[in-house]
Amino acid sequence: MGENLTPEDALRHIGDVERRARRPARTTGLILLVMGFASVPYWLVMSLGPDWSKFAAMISWLTMTILIVILGHRWSQLAQDRKVTWINRPTGPVTVTSLALTAVMTAGALLLPKDPGAGWITLVVVLAVCTSMPMFYAAWRILRAER
Amino acid sequence: MSGNGSHPRHRLDDLIHAPVRLSIMAALAAADKAEFRFLRDTIEVSDSLLSKHIITLEEAGYVEVEKVFVGKRPRTWLSLTDAGRHAFQDYVSVLKRLTEGSP
């Protein structure tokens, strides 16, 4: 880009730079979106699936979590986004709600009868969907900041 | 500023209206806080050129520079000050007025 910037060039250039600078935050938002979608089948399998599928789901979730923690740490050394920092706060609403719902789902999976009836299954499905909500909300907060 | 005329172009902040400094301001407005190397790679300039323009923006009160150590590694974090953020917002609104053709 030359020294003589036209207003159109300058606006286009600002858009390009903003897109590149927000890449770590955007990727975090997309990962949260994927986690939100993945958490529904994960909790359904953990609550209602056979033992072998519970083991596979747990290994997959653990692998995904480790990868996300490593990537998240790497990105936090490059750039810090206000929204991402707010979402990652250990005492923030997203973290607290996620942990609370995870505790409910874990307790539910342990207390669930061997042959759950339609009522139990409906409750598990509703709770599994609720568990994904903090992740969808976090993804929405990050991704809507895109200009 | 460019001058004292009434046309909006005279209200363009000359300090920002230069390719590298504009890139720095746009990147910091979007990322909130960026590490020196990330900023260098994002806007594709050399270390020395980036340092030179960061000093100019820091002296103008637009950019804040924070040097920290992570273990033994030095890290330089850059962010916009409130004045820098306002200046950038004003600059963008002037650009929009110019491209929309309104006086």
mmCIF file of all heavy atoms in Angstrom, chain A residues 75-99:
data_model
loop_
_atom_site.group_PDB
_atom_site.id
_atom_site.type_symbol
_atom_site.label_atom_id
_atom_site.label_comp_id
_atom_site.label_asym_id
_atom_site.label_seq_id
_atom_site.Cartn_x
_atom_site.Cartn_y
_atom_site.Cartn_z
ATOM 1 N N TRP A 75 -2.729 -18.946 22.110
ATOM 2 C CA TRP A 75 -3.343 -17.711 21.593
ATOM 3 C C TRP A 75 -3.298 -16.595 22.609
ATOM 4 O O TRP A 75 -3.179 -15.429 22.251
ATOM 5 C CB TRP A 75 -4.792 -17.976 21.171
ATOM 6 C CG TRP A 75 -4.895 -18.797 19.937
ATOM 7 C CD1 TRP A 75 -4.009 -18.801 18.891
ATOM 8 C CD2 TRP A 75 -5.909 -19.735 19.602
ATOM 9 N NE1 TRP A 75 -4.424 -19.696 17.941
ATOM 10 C CE2 TRP A 75 -5.575 -20.278 18.339
ATOM 11 C CE3 TRP A 75 -7.057 -20.164 20.223
ATOM 12 C CZ2 TRP A 75 -6.356 -21.226 17.699
ATOM 13 C CZ3 TRP A 75 -7.845 -21.103 19.583
ATOM 14 C CH2 TRP A 75 -7.500 -21.632 18.346
ATOM 15 N N SER A 76 -3.419 -16.959 23.905
ATOM 16 C CA SER A 76 -3.408 -15.905 24.922
ATOM 17 C C SER A 76 -2.037 -15.248 25.014
ATOM 18 O O SER A 76 -1.885 -14.175 25.586
ATOM 19 C CB SER A 76 -3.818 -16.465 26.288
ATOM 20 O OG SER A 76 -2.781 -17.276 26.794
ATOM 21 N N GLN A 77 -1.009 -15.900 24.453
ATOM 22 C CA GLN A 77 0.321 -15.302 24.416
ATOM 23 C C GLN A 77 0.487 -14.385 23.202
ATOM 24 O O GLN A 77 1.500 -13.707 23.065
ATOM 25 C CB GLN A 77 1.404 -16.388 24.346
ATOM 26 C CG GLN A 77 1.363 -17.398 25.473
ATOM 27 C CD GLN A 77 1.607 -16.765 26.822
ATOM 28 O OE1 GLN A 77 2.590 -16.066 27.009
ATOM 29 N NE2 GLN A 77 0.689 -16.967 27.755
ATOM 30 N N LEU A 78 -0.501 -14.401 22.313
ATOM 31 C CA LEU A 78 -0.399 -13.590 21.086
ATOM 32 C C LEU A 78 -1.267 -12.343 21.154
ATOM 33 O O LEU A 78 -0.827 -11.243 20.844
ATOM 34 C CB LEU A 78 -0.837 -14.411 19.865
ATOM 35 C CG LEU A 78 -0.085 -15.701 19.565
ATOM 36 C CD1 LEU A 78 -0.746 -16.436 18.412
ATOM 37 C CD2 LEU A 78 1.356 -15.387 19.201
ATOM 38 N N ALA A 79 -2.506 -12.560 21.524
ATOM 39 C CA ALA A 79 -3.446 -11.442 21.568
ATOM 40 C C ALA A 79 -4.512 -11.727 22.607
ATOM 41 O O ALA A 79 -4.825 -12.885 22.860
ATOM 42 C CB ALA A 79 -4.076 -11.243 20.201
ATOM 43 N N GLN A 80 -5.037 -10.677 23.194
ATOM 44 C CA GLN A 80 -6.090 -10.853 24.196
ATOM 45 C C GLN A 80 -7.321 -10.064 23.784
ATOM 46 O O GLN A 80 -7.226 -8.873 23.522
ATOM 47 C CB GLN A 80 -5.592 -10.412 25.569
ATOM 48 C CG GLN A 80 -4.588 -11.397 26.136
ATOM 49 C CD GLN A 80 -3.956 -10.932 27.419
ATOM 50 O OE1 GLN A 80 -4.343 -9.921 27.990
ATOM 51 N NE2 GLN A 80 -2.952 -11.664 27.865
ATOM 52 N N ASP A 81 -8.402 -10.786 23.716
ATOM 53 C CA ASP A 81 -9.662 -10.165 23.344
ATOM 54 C C ASP A 81 -10.494 -9.985 24.617
ATOM 55 O O ASP A 81 -10.571 -10.896 25.445
ATOM 56 C CB ASP A 81 -10.388 -11.090 22.350
ATOM 57 C CG ASP A 81 -11.690 -10.495 21.865
ATOM 58 O OD1 ASP A 81 -12.721 -10.699 22.535
ATOM 59 O OD2 ASP A 81 -11.665 -9.838 20.818
ATOM 60 N N ARG A 82 -11.116 -8.819 24.757
ATOM 61 C CA ARG A 82 -11.872 -8.515 25.987
ATOM 62 C C ARG A 82 -12.983 -9.541 26.229
ATOM 63 O O ARG A 82 -13.186 -10.008 27.339
ATOM 64 C CB ARG A 82 -12.458 -7.104 25.869
ATOM 65 C CG ARG A 82 -12.667 -6.423 27.222
ATOM 66 C CD ARG A 82 -13.131 -4.997 27.038
ATOM 67 N NE ARG A 82 -12.108 -4.179 26.399
ATOM 68 C CZ ARG A 82 -12.319 -3.363 25.361
ATOM 69 N NH1 ARG A 82 -13.502 -3.265 24.831
ATOM 70 N NH2 ARG A 82 -11.345 -2.649 24.850
ATOM 71 N N LYS A 83 -13.680 -9.907 25.150
ATOM 72 C CA LYS A 83 -14.800 -10.859 25.286
ATOM 73 C C LYS A 83 -14.299 -12.243 25.702
ATOM 74 O O LYS A 83 -14.890 -12.895 26.554
ATOM 75 C CB LYS A 83 -15.561 -10.972 23.966
ATOM 76 C CG LYS A 83 -16.319 -9.723 23.573
ATOM 77 C CD LYS A 83 -17.690 -9.726 24.192
ATOM 78 C CE LYS A 83 -18.563 -8.575 23.796
ATOM 79 N NZ LYS A 83 -17.989 -7.307 23.524
ATOM 80 N N VAL A 84 -13.200 -12.677 25.068
ATOM 81 C CA VAL A 84 -12.657 -14.007 25.379
ATOM 82 C C VAL A 84 -12.169 -14.034 26.836
ATOM 83 O O VAL A 84 -12.420 -15.000 27.558
ATOM 84 C CB VAL A 84 -11.509 -14.376 24.403
ATOM 85 C CG1 VAL A 84 -10.868 -15.709 24.789
ATOM 86 C CG2 VAL A 84 -12.025 -14.448 22.967
ATOM 87 N N THR A 85 -11.512 -12.970 27.258
ATOM 88 C CA THR A 85 -11.033 -12.891 28.643
ATOM 89 C C THR A 85 -12.221 -12.956 29.603
ATOM 90 O O THR A 85 -12.175 -13.654 30.613
ATOM 91 C CB THR A 85 -10.253 -11.567 28.856
ATOM 92 O OG1 THR A 85 -9.253 -11.475 27.847
ATOM 93 C CG2 THR A 85 -9.589 -11.521 30.215
ATOM 94 N N TRP A 86 -13.291 -12.239 29.280
ATOM 95 C CA TRP A 86 -14.490 -12.225 30.125
ATOM 96 C C TRP A 86 -15.101 -13.629 30.216
ATOM 97 O O TRP A 86 -15.480 -14.087 31.295
ATOM 98 C CB TRP A 86 -15.508 -11.231 29.547
ATOM 99 C CG TRP A 86 -16.797 -11.191 30.306
ATOM 100 C CD1 TRP A 86 -17.036 -10.551 31.490
ATOM 101 C CD2 TRP A 86 -18.036 -11.825 29.942
ATOM 102 N NE1 TRP A 86 -18.343 -10.752 31.877
ATOM 103 C CE2 TRP A 86 -18.969 -11.524 30.952
ATOM 104 C CE3 TRP A 86 -18.435 -12.604 28.856
ATOM 105 C CZ2 TRP A 86 -20.291 -11.982 30.906
ATOM 106 C CZ3 TRP A 86 -19.749 -13.070 28.809
ATOM 107 C CH2 TRP A 86 -20.657 -12.748 29.828
ATOM 108 N N ILE A 87 -15.147 -14.310 29.081
ATOM 109 C CA ILE A 87 -15.750 -15.648 29.050
ATOM 110 C C ILE A 87 -14.896 -16.663 29.820
ATOM 111 O O ILE A 87 -15.419 -17.555 30.475
ATOM 112 C CB ILE A 87 -15.988 -16.080 27.578
ATOM 113 C CG1 ILE A 87 -17.243 -15.359 27.074
ATOM 114 C CG2 ILE A 87 -16.124 -17.591 27.417
ATOM 115 C CD1 ILE A 87 -17.323 -15.183 25.616
ATOM 116 N N ASN A 88 -13.569 -16.509 29.741
ATOM 117 C CA ASN A 88 -12.667 -17.468 30.396
ATOM 118 C C ASN A 88 -12.479 -17.221 31.889
ATOM 119 O O ASN A 88 -11.809 -18.001 32.553
ATOM 120 C CB ASN A 88 -11.288 -17.442 29.723
ATOM 121 C CG ASN A 88 -11.313 -18.175 28.396
ATOM 122 O OD1 ASN A 88 -12.150 -19.040 28.181
ATOM 123 N ND2 ASN A 88 -10.418 -17.812 27.509
ATOM 124 N N ARG A 89 -13.044 -16.117 32.401
ATOM 125 C CA ARG A 89 -12.873 -15.828 33.837
ATOM 126 C C ARG A 89 -13.399 -16.993 34.676
ATOM 127 O O ARG A 89 -14.542 -17.422 34.482
ATOM 128 C CB ARG A 89 -13.648 -14.550 34.194
ATOM 129 C CG ARG A 89 -12.767 -13.328 34.380
ATOM 130 C CD ARG A 89 -13.564 -12.091 34.657
ATOM 131 N NE ARG A 89 -14.661 -12.313 35.591
ATOM 132 C CZ ARG A 89 -15.858 -11.719 35.501
ATOM 133 N NH1 ARG A 89 -16.098 -10.899 34.522
ATOM 134 N NH2 ARG A 89 -16.795 -11.940 36.388
ATOM 135 N N PRO A 90 -12.600 -17.524 35.615
ATOM 136 C CA PRO A 90 -13.067 -18.678 36.394
ATOM 137 C C PRO A 90 -14.339 -18.394 37.181
ATOM 138 O O PRO A 90 -15.135 -19.298 37.411
ATOM 139 C CB PRO A 90 -11.894 -18.956 37.347
ATOM 140 C CG PRO A 90 -10.725 -18.283 36.745
ATOM 141 C CD PRO A 90 -11.233 -17.121 35.954
ATOM 142 N N THR A 91 -14.549 -17.135 37.580
ATOM 143 C CA THR A 91 -15.753 -16.805 38.344
ATOM 144 C C THR A 91 -16.820 -16.139 37.462
ATOM 145 O O THR A 91 -17.821 -15.639 37.969
ATOM 146 C CB THR A 91 -15.418 -15.864 39.512
ATOM 147 O OG1 THR A 91 -14.720 -14.744 38.967
ATOM 148 C CG2 THR A 91 -14.564 -16.562 40.563
ATOM 149 N N GLY A 92 -16.572 -16.128 36.159
ATOM 150 C CA GLY A 92 -17.518 -15.490 35.241
ATOM 151 C C GLY A 92 -18.782 -16.321 35.063
ATOM 152 O O GLY A 92 -18.787 -17.527 35.345
ATOM 153 N N PRO A 93 -19.862 -15.705 34.580
ATOM 154 C CA PRO A 93 -21.136 -16.415 34.448
ATOM 155 C C PRO A 93 -21.081 -17.627 33.520
ATOM 156 O O PRO A 93 -21.741 -18.633 33.777
ATOM 157 C CB PRO A 93 -22.096 -15.350 33.911
ATOM 158 C CG PRO A 93 -21.248 -14.243 33.411
ATOM 159 C CD PRO A 93 -19.968 -14.294 34.160
ATOM 160 N N VAL A 94 -20.285 -17.545 32.455
ATOM 161 C CA VAL A 94 -20.225 -18.663 31.504
ATOM 162 C C VAL A 94 -19.571 -19.881 32.174
ATOM 163 O O VAL A 94 -20.113 -20.995 32.120
ATOM 164 C CB VAL A 94 -19.448 -18.251 30.222
ATOM 165 C CG1 VAL A 94 -19.239 -19.447 29.313
ATOM 166 C CG2 VAL A 94 -20.202 -17.154 29.484
ATOM 167 N N THR A 95 -18.440 -19.654 32.846
ATOM 168 C CA THR A 95 -17.728 -20.757 33.503
ATOM 169 C C THR A 95 -18.579 -21.350 34.625
ATOM 170 O O THR A 95 -18.725 -22.573 34.720
ATOM 171 C CB THR A 95 -16.383 -20.252 34.082
ATOM 172 O OG1 THR A 95 -15.717 -19.512 33.071
ATOM 173 C CG2 THR A 95 -15.509 -21.393 34.536
ATOM 174 N N VAL A 96 -19.145 -20.476 35.451
ATOM 175 C CA VAL A 96 -19.927 -20.946 36.607
ATOM 176 C C VAL A 96 -21.151 -21.743 36.135
ATOM 177 O O VAL A 96 -21.424 -22.838 36.643
ATOM 178 C CB VAL A 96 -20.333 -19.748 37.504
ATOM 179 C CG1 VAL A 96 -21.341 -20.174 38.554
ATOM 180 C CG2 VAL A 96 -19.096 -19.143 38.171
ATOM 181 N N THR A 97 -21.869 -21.215 35.144
ATOM 182 C CA THR A 97 -23.054 -21.920 34.640
ATOM 183 C C THR A 97 -22.657 -23.265 34.015
ATOM 184 O O THR A 97 -23.322 -24.282 34.231
ATOM 185 C CB THR A 97 -23.794 -21.057 33.589
ATOM 186 O OG1 THR A 97 -23.915 -19.734 34.084
ATOM 187 C CG2 THR A 97 -25.168 -21.598 33.288
ATOM 188 N N SER A 98 -21.564 -23.258 33.247
ATOM 189 C CA SER A 98 -21.103 -24.510 32.628
ATOM 190 C C SER A 98 -20.781 -25.551 33.687
ATOM 191 O O SER A 98 -21.181 -26.716 33.568
ATOM 192 C CB SER A 98 -19.841 -24.276 31.800
ATOM 193 O OG SER A 98 -20.162 -23.581 30.650
ATOM 194 N N LEU A 99 -20.061 -25.125 34.725
ATOM 195 C CA LEU A 99 -19.673 -26.071 35.783
ATOM 196 C C LEU A 99 -20.900 -26.591 36.537
ATOM 197 O O LEU A 99 -20.994 -27.788 36.836
ATOM 198 C CB LEU A 99 -18.690 -25.413 36.754
ATOM 199 C CG LEU A 99 -17.271 -25.186 36.203
ATOM 200 C CD1 LEU A 99 -16.419 -24.424 37.208
ATOM 201 C CD2 LEU A 99 -16.603 -26.515 35.843
#
